[in-house]
Amino acid sequence: MSTNTDVSLSSYDEGQGSKFIRKAREAPFVPIGMAGFAAIIAYGLYKLKNGGNTKMSLHLTHMHVAAQGFVAGAMTLGMGYAMCKAFWAKPNP
């Protein structure tokens, strides 16, 4: 039985920044969904701070639905993009 522990995998050698860039290239709609989610949360916090005449629970419910809708839309577009890339794009020779 061999106990060779000198195995070097490239995923362990890459840093967090390069790993995020690699994952973003593989699935470009994930960072878009993350950015949209953060933007909706920031907008919601801004509206909450600057007041308004809506109840807190109603405001939080609207922001929750908007954030979930944006993320679900980004996931749907990402899956559509992946399907187009996999099935309808010309294969590289």
Side-chain angles (χ1 to χ4, degrees):
M1 189 149 71
S2 175
T3 59
N4 187 1
T5 59
D6 192 29
V7 177
S8 175
L9 298 175
S10 63
S11 63
Y12 293 121
D13 294 337
E14 68 183 344
Q16 291 295 328
S18 61
K19 184 175 183 179
F20 181 77
I21 291 171
R22 181 178 54 84
K23 292 284 188 179
R25 285 187 184 142
E26 291 173 3
F29 285 94
V30 172
I32 293 170
M34 290 169 56
F37 180 80
I40 289 172
I41 296 301
Y43 174 73
L45 291 174
Y46 171 76
K47 291 294 279 184
L48 185 63
K49 181 181 180 255
N50 288 341
N53 54 4
T54 60
K55 292 171 84 176
M56 173 73 89
S57 63
L58 183 62
H59 176 74
L60 292 176
T61 302
H62 285 165
M63 290 300 108
H64 181 257
V65 169
Q68 277 187 328
F70 191 89
V71 171
M75 288 173 55
T76 303
L77 289 174
M79 289 302 296
Y81 174 76
M83 287 175 56
C84 287
K85 193 168 126 179
F87 295 115
W88 291 316
K90 290 182 181 178
N92 292 335

